[in-house]
Amino acid sequence: MTRLAPVAISGLGCLSGAGMNLAENLETLFAGRRYPRPPVRFSTDHPVSYPVLELRSEFTLPLDEQELTYARTSQLALAAALEALADAGLEAMELQKKRVGVCIGTTVGCALNCDDFYRDYKAGSMPELAIIERFLRSNPAAVIARHLQLDGPVQTVVNACSSGSDAIGLGASWLRAGACDLVIAGGADELSRVTYAGFSSLMITDTGPCRPFDVRRKGLNLGEGAGMMILQKSEDAGPQRERGRVLGYGAACDAHHLTAPRPDGAGLKQALREAFAGAGATPAQMAFVNAHGTGTPDNDRTEGRVLREVLPGVPYLSTKGYTGHTLGAAGAIEAVYTVACLNRGEVPASIGFVDVDPEIPVPPVIANTAIGGDMALSQSLAFGGNNAVLILGKGGRR
Amino acid sequence: MAVNIQGIGAVGGFGCGVEALRNALRQGSVPPRQVTLEHPGEAGEEFPAYLAATGELERFIPKRELRRIDHFSKMTLLGACLALEDAALLDGDRSRIGVVVASGYGPLKTTFSFLDSYLDFGYSCSSPTHFSNSVHNAAAAHVAMQLKLTAPNLTVTQFDMSVPSALMTALQWLAEDRVDQVLFGAVDEYCAVLRYCRRQFFGAGEQGPLAPLELARQTAVVGEGAAFFVLARPESAAAYGRIDGVCLGNHQRRPVRLPETDGLIVGADGHHRCGVWYQQVITGRQVAACAPVYGSFPAAAAFDLAVAALALRDGNLTVDEPPGGDGQAVDVSRLACLKFAAGGEYGLIRLSR
Amino acid sequence: MSVKEKLKKVLIEDLNLEDLTPDEIDDDMALFGEGLGLDSLDAVELVVVVQKHFGVEIKDMEEGRPALQSISTLARFIEEKQGQ
């Protein structure tokens, strides 16, 4: 892995259970508030109710009638992308003159989880294809490209829970390779009955608010949302438009187990090495780490061990307590938070943490904490053993 | 940056392995299998499909290891193993071989098996095994686990654009020196629900035979399979020629520029909504369209790429002019694979010897 | 069919252990690690198997862990719950 040219982040956008835009999200985080509650948008006959973090209000988008029929994931993606474009001061018309790529991570956004349709099909009736047509129209990256009338490369990354981080890292590569003038990169995922059933069946969901890195952690809370970045070549964005920078991206696979992380964290360590090499940076230069920190016993143990070994003394936190685990969006939302926190010079408390786990001797930050430095790291671990690490830099524009 | 193709692995309706694909191409088409439907609304009806068998996987991986691996992942694994074998990489250090998998629809059967588990027995009986195998990257994860591939691992889904889109990233991994080789491939599977949907969409159009160059007519026949490639940087040896680059765009916004003198393989596969785009750009030109060898499905764009690689190795390609005829073999040293989606999105992959 | 016999049968079917016959699974053989060689994903699938075929709920892994040691311990757990 050789050192890579930094890529400028000229706009940020984000929505989650913590807020409908980036400003609201940050307000919630730094106020130490969170809103887990039983799911409202769907129901199941599951005997136990697990709290989730849904969006707390409906979002409004300038969409035409047909676009309003897109799946929720794609609408979330579009909402965050439009916020990021506005933040970058870019008009849709300007984009049509450029070669603009779209690289979006998701899980639910590409799965044919049409259980209503399938129930009818199983029962022997002939269900109509409206749900299938909606699925075929709703590929999140294609939706953004279509809405903005773009003609560059389009890619939906489906690396499970690291998809959002991967999409940003890959989008930065596209720019360096000269394949695009600008890339809209990030992740989006909606809460769904299917993932709710799936994560419950894996017995890794907490019946209360999640407790990342705490000794009594029982599992994750699911969430939904989207995080987006506008990526440009540094020379195109110019320092006054730079909100931040993508400095490094590393990825590696555990090749160990479908759902459990490799206990020694070898894959995560490899991804970290790649990210540091690409950024030409050292662990000691990191102002903080936005950890994956789902609140599941296995994830946090592996991650905690690796952090102590590779990034000793660097403050870390999990923001999953505020947003829940937003799956394919998580890495992107957290990357957006990471840049915003670097610019603010402060990270929020790692909510949900109370007592130290002897297996993770160094606790996350327990209060809003001032940080120095101009680089930070955001990492994701995923089903299938994927590990993705982003090293992000502070912007000229705060 | 150009990359070399060091090995190919393919499994589909034509059989298993690159030589089976080559033989099928020589014959020009493969008879699809007749499948009988069981859904009450269409029970007893027969229709053609190009289906893949994965029995040969046991040559590479012990049966016990396969117990939790579904058909989708088995096709993926088999394609991956065959490609590594073809490139003589099955033994030795594989720690810098990245994995990139493209799929239009992901593991459909297991997605529905997971829904079955809770629709049949209630949410508390949702199957965690089906759930974790229903995520799109399960197949790439099984490839990594079984073949001990610890380098970056990526799954991409973009319907008909999955293959060119994923290839773009595979090429960049090599350019950025993230990996020494990429095991790049695509996979899609048939399932009864897919067939139901296609029948509702296309009616009798799905009865075959596939006539890919009759561009205005719906003649698609559903298929499944996996095709994989070992790609390496230009300083390595190329067994099949090289990929010079890939370009993605939307023909409606900015028309695709086709290389004028290259041989052309089109991904036309009997879908008339995509056919209109091919019509616009290939009129008066001789092209190859090989869907009658493997069927119509998003991952088949990777089979087109395998056809291109074989043609470059052998030095000739059989081409035709729409609406298709007997075809004739022409010499080739440069080739392009063109794939359109219904909305005018295109992927153009350029190759040379 | 006894609980143990039924357990072995559904274990083979639902965990796709087709290379085994019920006779080859010892009542006291460890289900995980050395022994039958099952893993954490099988453990949560077993929770579903027990719910589906025996109507017995395992609430969480704290409750499940002691039960999921062997066919004997699991059969005893099921019989106790069914007797309640």
Side-chain angles (χ1 to χ4, degrees):
Chain A
M1 184 81 202
T2 45
R3 185 162 177 183
L4 302 169
V7 162
I9 301 165
S10 55
L12 299 173
C14 162
L15 67 170
S16 75
M20 299 303 289
N21 54 47
L22 179 55
E24 268 183 43
N25 271 270
L26 293 175
E27 200 185 311
T28 307
L29 265 58
F30 285 99
R33 289 193 298 262
R34 58 168 161 175
Y35 307 96
R37 59 184 185 189
V40 173
R41 293 188 53 258
F42 59 86
S43 62
T44 73
D45 66 5
H46 207 282
V48 186
S49 173
Y50 300 98
V52 297
L53 288 108
E54 285 175 304
L55 293 194
R56 295 170 62 237
S57 44
E58 283 308 312
F59 51 99
T60 49
L61 286 172
L63 300 182
D64 66 30
E65 213 167 292
Q66 204 203 337
E67 290 171 319
L68 284 170
T69 65
Y70 290 149
R72 183 173 172 89
T73 297
S74 305
Q75 296 194 30
L76 292 168
L78 203 44
L82 294 176
E83 185 193 350
L85 282 172
D87 184 42
L90 286 163
E91 300 281 344
M93 289 299 287
E94 278 179 74
L95 296 183
Q96 288 160 23
K97 293 178 212 143
K98 299 178 192 288
R99 195 159 183 87
V100 179
V102 185
C103 192
I104 307 296
T106 190
T107 61
V108 177
C110 66
L112 199 45
N113 288 334
C114 46
D115 55 0
D116 291 331
F117 166 89
Y118 185 57
R119 188 184 288 111
D120 291 348
Y121 170 86
K122 271 168 75 81
S125 62
M126 307 280 280
E128 287 185 9
L129 297 189
I131 296 174
I132 305 294
E133 285 173 347
R134 181 173 114 126
F135 166 76
L136 293 172
R137 273 199 312 274
S138 291
N139 176 288
V143 160
I144 292 174
R146 202 180 305 139
H147 178 81
L148 296 166
Q149 301 189 350
L150 308 175
D151 84 329
V154 170
Q155 183 163 114
T156 299
V157 172
V158 278
N159 265 11
C161 308
S162 68
S163 303
S165 299
D166 287 312
I168 290 169
L170 298 174
S173 290
W174 293 4
L175 280 171
R176 279 189 221 104
C180 311
D181 305 318
L182 185 148
V183 178
I184 300 173
D189 250 321
E190 71 192 85
L191 260 168
S192 125
R193 185 161 52 201
V194 178
T195 40
Y196 183 83
F199 279 91
S200 317
S201 77
L202 284 159
M203 302 185 102
I204 49 172
T205 45
D206 200 325
T207 50
C210 67
R211 294 165 274 190
F213 299 107
D214 187 272
V215 66
R216 279 179 290 273
R217 66 188 182 279
K218 282 277 190 317
L220 53 82
N221 301 147
L222 285 172
E224 65 177 352
M228 292 289 156
M229 290 184 170
I230 307 303
L231 305 179
Q232 289 182 274
K233 283 185 194 152
S234 279
E235 57 268 33
D236 292 349
Q240 69 284 5
R241 285 179 87 165
E242 258 189 30
R243 279 279 246 159
R245 290 174 150 212
V246 180
L247 300 170
Y249 161 61
C253 187
D254 284 350
H256 169 71
H257 191 266
L258 196 54
T259 54
R262 207 176 127 137
D264 66 3
L268 178 56
K269 285 189 241 175
Q270 175 63 24
L272 283 162
R273 274 196 295 277
E274 296 277 324
F276 286 125
T282 63
Q285 286 175 286
M286 298 300 114
F288 66 93
V289 174
N290 191 325
H292 191 53
T294 54
T296 64
D298 286 349
N299 176 84
D300 293 5
R301 189 185 310 113
T302 298
E303 222 186 339
R305 279 181 190 159
V306 171
L307 287 172
R308 186 177 59 159
E309 188 184 323
V310 181
L311 290 131
V314 177
Y316 73 96
L317 74 156
S318 164
T319 48
K320 294 282 195 303
Y322 300 101
T323 60
H325 190 353
T326 58
L327 308 181
I333 291 175
E334 287 154 25
V336 168
Y337 285 169
T338 300
V339 172
C341 289
L342 267 175
N343 290 344
R344 189 175 164 125
E346 188 184 19
V347 290
S350 192
I351 199 167
F353 174 86
V354 177
D355 288 317
V356 176
D357 178 349
E359 290 192 290
I360 315 170
V362 183
V365 296
I366 52 167
N368 294 353
T369 305
I371 45 110
D374 51 13
M375 280 185 241
L377 187 149
S378 183
Q379 64 188 24
S380 304
L381 288 74
F383 264 25
N386 285 327
N387 301 276
V389 173
L390 288 170
I391 294 179
L392 300 154
K394 205 170 185 168
R397 176 166 72 101
R398 302 292 150 78
Chain B
M1 185 187 78
V3 304
N4 288 335
I5 301 174
Q6 294 186 317
I8 302 177
V11 53
F14 53 84
C16 183
V18 71
E19 285 310 312
L21 175 61
R22 192 158 172 261
N23 291 337
L25 286 166
R26 239 184 254 143
Q27 286 163 17
S29 70
V30 168
R33 222 185 300 163
Q34 290 296 315
V35 180
T36 309
L37 286 172
E38 285 168 15
H39 183 261
E42 11 172 48
E45 207 177 294
E46 282 205 337
F47 72 96
Y50 291 89
L51 303 182
T54 59
E56 207 175 318
L57 188 52
E58 285 177 37
R59 191 157 70 75
F60 300 99
I61 293 163
K63 196 162 180 250
R64 182 71 185 267
E65 294 284 310
L66 298 174
R67 73 184 170 94
R68 272 195 314 227
I69 298 183
D70 61 17
H71 181 62
F72 181 83
S73 289
K74 279 182 184 162
M75 288 192 292
T76 312
L77 261 174
L78 181 52
C81 289
L82 289 166
L84 286 178
E85 184 180 50
D86 194 38
L89 283 168
L90 265 182
D91 302 307
D93 180 16
R94 297 192 293 263
S95 62
R96 288 209 13 117
I97 303 179
V99 178
V100 176
V101 175
S103 178
Y105 299 116
L108 288 176
K109 279 183 198 154
T110 301
T111 299
F112 291 116
S113 297
F114 178 63
L115 301 185
D116 281 333
S117 70
Y118 71 73
L119 292 176
D120 293 348
F121 302 102
Y123 285 94
S124 57
C125 290
S126 305
S127 163
T129 307
H130 287 322
F131 178 65
S132 43
N133 276 294
S134 75
V135 296
H136 274 56
N137 68 324
H142 286 302
V143 169
M145 283 187 277
Q146 294 299 330
L147 298 169
K148 300 282 169 259
L149 303 176
T150 51
N153 185 298
L154 173 73
T155 303
V156 166
T157 185
Q158 206 60 48
F159 296 132
D160 281 331
M161 288 299 107
S162 301
V163 170
S165 181
L167 178 62
M168 189 176 138
T169 294
L171 300 187
Q172 276 159 23
W173 280 3
L174 287 164
E176 290 189 348
D177 196 25
R178 289 181 186 275
V179 292
D180 291 336
Q181 276 122 343
V182 181
L183 187 53
F184 164 75
V187 57
D188 269 305
E189 75 175 339
Y190 163 80
C191 81
V193 185
L194 178 69
R195 160 65 197 167
Y196 169 83
C197 296
R198 289 179 71 130
R199 189 180 187 281
Q200 302 301 305
F201 277 126
F202 307 124
E206 294 265 293
Q207 282 300 331
L210 232 163
L213 292 179
E214 291 187 31
L215 295 166
R217 213 155 65 81
Q218 181 71 25
T219 66
V221 171
V222 67
E224 66 172 10
F228 273 78
F229 305 83
V230 175
L231 306 178
R233 265 190 295 279
E235 59 271 19
S236 64
Y240 293 93
R242 59 182 203 186
I243 297 174
D244 294 314
V246 53
C247 174
L248 287 98
N250 190 316
H251 187 67
Q252 288 193 78
R253 318 244 182 277
R254 205 171 304 182
V256 59
R257 284 209 309 266
L258 289 184
E260 278 171 26
T261 55
D262 294 11
L264 191 59
I265 297 172
V266 293
D269 61 357
H271 283 294
H272 69 278
R273 286 180 63 202
C274 303
V276 296
W277 302 112
Y278 294 108
Q279 191 98 54
Q280 284 188 16
V281 299
I282 65 168
T283 308
R285 190 162 174 167
Q286 291 200 316
V287 300
C290 306
V293 171
Y294 29 80
S296 318
F297 54 106
F303 288 92
D304 294 348
L305 191 60
V307 173
L310 281 169
L312 289 170
R313 189 188 69 179
D314 295 347
N316 66 76
L317 175 74
T318 300
V319 292
D320 239 334
E321 217 168 298
D326 290 337
Q328 54 172 348
V330 294
D331 290 346
V332 284
S333 58
R334 299 185 61 83
L335 270 174
C337 293
L338 175 66
K339 180 76 182 169
F340 270 116
E345 302 89 351
Y346 68 84
L348 183 71
I349 303 168
R350 298 191 65 181
L351 304 96
S352 61
R353 274 176 105 164
Chain C
M1 199 187 290
S2 74
V3 169
K4 281 182 190 169
E5 282 167 19
K6 188 174 170 191
L7 255 180
K8 290 179 189 175
K9 185 172 161 286
V10 297
L11 209 71
I12 288 170
E13 281 167 12
D14 286 21
L15 301 185
N16 294 322
L17 299 163
E18 289 142 354
D19 53 332
L20 289 178
T21 63
D23 297 342
E24 289 172 289
I25 303 176
D26 212 53
D27 286 0
D28 297 310
M29 186 189 262
L31 295 177
F32 299 92
E34 299 293 313
L36 210 49
L38 302 182
D39 67 7
S40 59
L41 185 52
D42 292 308
V44 281
E45 191 67 41
L46 262 176
V47 170
V48 173
V49 168
V50 169
Q51 168 86 39
K52 198 161 89 182
H53 295 281
F54 299 91
V56 167
E57 187 200 355
I58 298 175
K59 277 202 312 294
D60 53 35
M61 273 303 156
E62 265 167 52
E63 188 181 17
R65 206 161 289 121
L68 294 170
Q69 296 300 314
S70 65
I71 293 289
S72 294
T73 58
L74 190 52
R76 201 177 312 131
F77 176 84
I78 291 169
E79 283 161 348
E80 277 171 20
K81 285 273 182 175
Q82 282 176 334
Q84 279 170 11

